[in-house]
Amino acid sequence: HSRQERVHPDVLVVGAGIAGIQAALDIARAGHKVHLVERGPSIGGHMAQFDKTFPTLDCAACISTPKMVAVSQEPNINLMTYSEVVEVKGFVGNYVATIRRKPRYIDETLCTGCGLCMEKCPKKVESEFEEGLAPRKAIYRNSPQSVPNKPGIDRENCIWFVKGKCGACQKNCPSGAIDFDQTETVFPVEVGAIILATGYDVLDPTPLTPYGFGRYPEVYTGLQFERLNNAVGPTGGRIV
């Protein structure tokens, strides 16, 4: 026996790499509200790391950056970075998804993206975006083209959170946007459809000892090679 149900018009897209971005833009332009959830600090996924794309050898950023900016400017897209879906309940056409949003420790309404906080931060750690080939600060954004173009604080490495002192970013922020008291928020969103665009992780090559990764400096992963090729990568595009 069949029944009719009202379908909620909003859509949840999980993952804001190039696939999630394109899906969100298409749905938003068709007139539906989209909740776009990304676990990282900015959108773009692996596409933002690439130098060129196969088979046309177009510059990856030339394709992805305009789409990233379009996401930030699209009124029908509710972009949630540093966020994860922790639970989904409901049935076809009527879901309630629970979103956990981690604190960025930045008031995004005040931050202008000037970058002074990153300049003054004394703590350096390996950059995940640069695939460990270059350092980043404890307060950071992946690149100058990041969307949203606001930094976030890496709590595990921030001297303020580890030792209870420093605060260089707070002292030097002209907008007063640093907020060490921000907390995690958990909230529901109601949607009628869910698109999973969670992408992929690169295999950890460390256990594959015959290939010499980690033992020989000239053995790279594909993503590390993309960063070395990239004109705005850690070596300015030189293979070293």
Side-chain angles (χ1 to χ4, degrees), residues 9-58:
D10 296 357
V11 178
L12 172 66
V13 177
V14 186
I18 192 68
I21 286 170
Q22 190 62 60
L25 287 172
D26 289 346
I27 295 163
R29 286 165 181 167
H32 292 276
K33 181 168 184 185
V34 181
H35 300 283
L36 179 57
V37 175
E38 166 59 44
R39 70 178 179 183
S42 65
I43 65 175
H46 289 310
M47 182 81 164
Q49 295 175 291
F50 293 165
D51 181 43
K52 302 276 193 295
T53 51
F54 180 83
T56 53
L57 294 188
D58 284 327

Side-chain angles (χ1 to χ4, degrees), residues 43-52 60-61 64 127-132 142-143 200 202 222-233:
I43 65 175
H46 289 310
M47 182 81 164
Q49 295 175 291
F50 293 165
D51 181 43
K52 302 276 193 295
S64 62
S127 165
E128 300 87 349
F129 184 77
E130 298 293 358
E131 293 295 312
N142 285 341
S143 74
Y200 62 91
V202 176
L223 269 182
Q224 285 179 327
F225 191 65
E226 287 289 338
R227 294 314 298 158
L228 288 179
N229 268 311
N230 201 305
V232 290

Side-chain angles (χ1 to χ4, degrees), residues 12 37 45 67 69 75 89 96-97 149 153 156 187 194-195 210:
L12 172 66
V37 175
K67 293 181 190 292
V69 173
K89 285 181 172 173
V96 178
N149 199 10
I153 293 177
E156 284 177 22
F187 53 91
I194 300 170
I195 293 177

Side-chain angles (χ1 to χ4, degrees), residues 110-180:
L110 295 175
C111 174
T112 61
C114 72
L116 202 58
C117 54
M118 296 181 284
E119 211 178 288
K120 301 293 185 184
C121 175
K123 178 73 176 177
K124 285 186 180 179
V125 292
E126 261 186 18
S127 165
E128 300 87 349
F129 184 77
E130 298 293 358
E131 293 295 312
L133 297 171
R136 64 160 171 81
K137 298 295 185 75
I139 184 167
Y140 72 103
R141 60 182 171 213
N142 285 341
S143 74
Q145 290 77 38
S146 289
V147 173
N149 199 10
K150 322 267 182 186
I153 293 177
D154 164 13
R155 190 185 171 111
E156 284 177 22
N157 290 297
C158 171
I159 300 169
W160 179 271
F161 286 111
V162 176
K163 294 181 180 170
K165 55 187 180 187
C166 180
C169 52
Q170 195 172 46
K171 292 181 197 120
N172 289 285
C173 177
S175 316
I178 309 292
D179 180 4
F180 291 122

Side-chain angles (χ1 to χ4, degrees), residues 87-104:
E87 187 182 40
V88 177
K89 285 181 172 173
F91 54 95
V92 175
N94 295 270
Y95 300 107
V96 178
T98 305
I99 313 293
R100 180 190 290 138
R101 194 168 198 170
K102 293 188 294 187
R104 196 181 271 273

